[in-house]
Amino acid sequence: MMYEAQMVANDAAYYYLARSGRVTDWPMWWVFDNGDTPLTAVDIADHFGECAELLEPLRRRIQEVPGGLGHPFWVVDDSPIDAHIVTHDAAQQDWAQCQDEIGRILAQPLDARVSAWQLHVFPNVTGIATPSGAGPVVLMHVSHALMAGPAMTSLSEALFASVPLRIEGQGAATRRPRPVLAAVLGALRWPLQVLRFNIRVRGEMRRIARENDDSGPNVPPVTSTRLNGRIGTGRAMRSIPLELRVVRAPGVTVTAFGLTAISRAMQRYLEKRDGSCPDDLAVLVTVAVPDAPVMGANYIGAAAVELAAAEPDLAARARAVDATLRVRRDSPSGRRELNRLGLIDLLPSRTYRTRFGTLAPAAPDGPAYAHTILTSIRCEPTAEWSLSGKPFRFAGMLPPVYPEIGLAHSFVGAGDTFTVSVVCDPGIVPDLDDYCELLRESCHEVAAALGASR
């Protein structure tokens, strides 16, 4: 049981990245409608108190192994659920102020050794896109080592539909981690691990040459822009809720539609700020890689997708993006990439911790590999979501911002809604509201272009 509670290398990497000073936590938020009467903070606390047993997979925190001689353990966290709930009880808070506050929350990384997750509650936010114009907002701020985008649908069901939470790929948590013993055994295993790693690497190189295996992610360098500076700790975010019918068009996926709108918005933004935009705009799209035990709870990879910025016709651009996305989306689950992850899992934990737990100095002339990041999920509720009787309206989610990419996007489809969310380092994108207006306009431009091309 003790060893089963140690993280696989892929999950541990996100903890190491966070310890290096990078902000890797994963946020998702849900917006509800007040109706005639707003909820009180007590109403909301009671609702989540009733969810406690459904959230059993969250009842864990991290304990390190001395000297980094083994990957960290998940240990049982017996703290009550109300210890993880933070209520923001401002007398009056509008949607813009709420989003600003979420940005400030995300700029403060969780210490998963103390608490791997927190629920932030905004009981009565005004100016939101709901029938009454006001409602509660709930934000989940969770360690990336614990869960990622693929688990967010199950999390939503647990919090708002009384369905037990499941985190696929999650290992066990222990009450007796015995970290000193793990460190001693890790030190003794080190020479054998290095030997096995080198033998397996040579074997994999021979296999790649023999089979001419070119599967796996292909991420060629792209032209650097103002969006590719080394990011700081500051965060700003915005959400744009749309109706799902707006982004549905024949011949292209919803994801390709959204990526085309992003490409147009980024193009206009860079042309406005710098006078030009490179033709090789590219995005890293996160892709789920199921049935890959070596990836743990973070069974996600990334595929590089060109955004066809040189194509002036938006309908043709959308079709080009869609075609590229279809070709690239399987690359993170290719044999070569999964074998690479298996090899990494053989490395001594101290080596792995040094690699991911140290943020290298910024390289001004270093290559850029994408201009933004996209993560997307489609939630298919098995029951109606509600917060203490208040109906669900829309949800948003954000990926972590990469060290050299200062702008990230997400799509969340839930019911009849499709929410586009944007997060940035405000030092790199100081005018996020202007960019979001360009993005909103671009969504409608792409819809019109695809409608006209039918």
Side-chain angles (χ1 to χ4, degrees):
M1 180 66 176
M2 181 184 79
Y3 298 114
E4 292 174 359
Q6 279 189 281
M7 295 180 187
V8 299
N10 193 53
D11 286 342
Y14 290 100
Y15 173 69
Y16 300 149
L17 288 168
R19 297 296 292 164
S20 77
R22 282 168 277 201
V23 179
T24 64
D25 300 331
W26 200 289
M28 184 167 181
W29 59 92
W30 303 262
V31 178
F32 299 83
D33 183 44
N34 269 347
D36 297 329
T37 309
L39 295 175
T40 66
V42 173
D43 294 330
I44 298 173
D46 289 345
H47 172 93
F48 290 127
E50 294 173 0
C51 297
E53 292 185 4
L54 305 173
L55 302 175
E56 187 64 28
L58 297 180
R59 299 177 65 83
R60 54 181 58 201
R61 57 183 176 80
I62 286 174
Q63 181 164 346
E64 293 188 5
V65 171
L69 293 170
H71 291 313
F73 287 93
W74 282 119
V75 298
V76 174
D77 179 3
D78 287 322
S79 59
I81 189 171
D82 57 11
H84 297 269
I85 298 176
V86 179
T87 301
H88 300 258
D89 222 356
Q92 188 69 42
Q93 191 168 55
D94 64 24
W95 181 224
Q97 292 170 323
C98 179
Q99 292 178 97
D100 289 340
E101 183 64 24
I102 290 175
R104 286 189 285 270
I105 291 168
L106 301 184
Q108 302 297 320
L110 292 168
D111 185 346
R113 298 169 300 179
V114 178
S115 176
W117 61 282
Q118 286 186 330
L119 275 175
H120 293 264
V121 176
F122 304 84
N124 188 30
V125 178
T126 61
I128 55 180
T130 66
S132 70
V137 176
V138 176
L139 166 71
M140 167 59 92
H141 187 202
V142 62
S143 168
H144 206 327
L146 177 56
M147 63 191 300
M152 291 305 179
T153 297
S154 181
L155 176 64
S156 303
E157 300 276 272
L159 291 173
F160 308 115
S162 300
V163 178
L165 172 61
R166 292 187 62 193
I167 302 177
E168 299 293 340
Q170 184 182 64
T174 182
R175 292 184 180 277
R176 298 182 62 196
R178 304 176 73 182
V180 174
L181 175 60
V184 171
L185 293 176
L188 293 174
R189 286 200 307 264
W190 193 320
L192 179 60
Q193 284 180 290
V194 172
L195 178 62
R196 289 180 60 202
F197 174 78
N198 288 327
I199 291 172
R200 291 277 296 274
V201 166
R202 287 194 292 270
E204 175 65 2
M205 295 299 290
R206 288 194 297 269
R207 184 198 68 81
I208 291 171
R210 183 175 63 252
E211 300 177 7
N212 195 26
D213 184 356
D214 61 355
S215 67
N218 178 24
V219 187
V222 295
T223 306
S224 183
T225 71
R226 66 164 52 224
L227 302 176
N228 295 109
R230 170 58 61 87
I231 65 172
T233 57
R235 293 292 179 271
M237 60 76 57
R238 288 291 184 266
S239 271
I240 305 171
L242 302 168
E243 292 182 22
L244 187 59
R245 62 176 180 81
V246 172
V247 297
R248 278 185 168 158
V252 301
T253 63
V254 169
T255 301
F257 179 106
L259 284 174
T260 306
I262 288 171
S263 77
R264 180 60 179 146
M266 291 174 62
Q267 185 178 40
R268 293 174 64 191
Y269 181 80
L270 291 171
E271 288 173 348
K272 183 177 179 181
R273 296 297 180 271
D274 300 330
S276 64
C277 171
D279 290 341
D280 60 352
L281 278 185
V283 56
L284 290 177
V285 180
T286 61
V287 180
V289 185
D291 304 319
V294 71
M295 301 186 80
N298 281 278
Y299 53 97
I300 49 174
V305 176
E306 294 90 353
L307 292 175
E311 172 56 66
D313 181 274
L314 290 181
R317 185 184 301 192
R319 289 189 287 270
V321 170
D322 186 77
T324 304
L325 184 61
R326 291 177 190 273
V327 170
R328 298 284 173 80
R329 70 190 332 158
D330 292 332
S331 61
S333 58
R335 181 179 178 185
R336 182 169 174 172
E337 176 63 7
L338 293 182
N339 285 353
R340 184 187 69 83
L341 290 170
L343 288 169
I344 287 175
D345 207 38
L346 294 176
L347 281 171
S349 54
R350 181 63 179 267
T351 302
Y352 203 55
R353 183 187 181 100
T354 301
R355 166 68 177 82
F356 288 94
T358 304
L359 182 58
D365 299 324
Y369 295 100
H371 302 97
T372 188
I373 309 144
L374 171 73
T375 189
S376 63
I377 60 170
R378 172 65 186 162
C379 300
E380 299 288 354
T382 60
E384 185 175 348
W385 297 355
S386 65
L387 175 62
S388 196
K390 302 302 182 183
F392 166 78
R393 290 306 176 192
F394 65 91
M397 178 181 70
L398 290 170
V401 180
Y402 281 37
E404 311 297 341
I405 304 176
L407 180 69
H409 299 78
S410 80
F411 302 153
V412 175
D416 295 328
T417 66
F418 180 83
T419 305
V420 182
S421 299
V422 186
V423 63
C424 71
D425 174 354
I428 292 176
V429 184
D431 41 9
L432 183 58
D433 286 323
D434 291 347
Y435 173 77
C436 288
E437 187 56 36
L438 293 175
L439 182 54
R440 187 189 299 272
E441 293 171 2
S442 296
C443 287
H444 293 291
E445 288 176 4
V446 175
L450 288 169
S453 70
R454 292 181 187 179

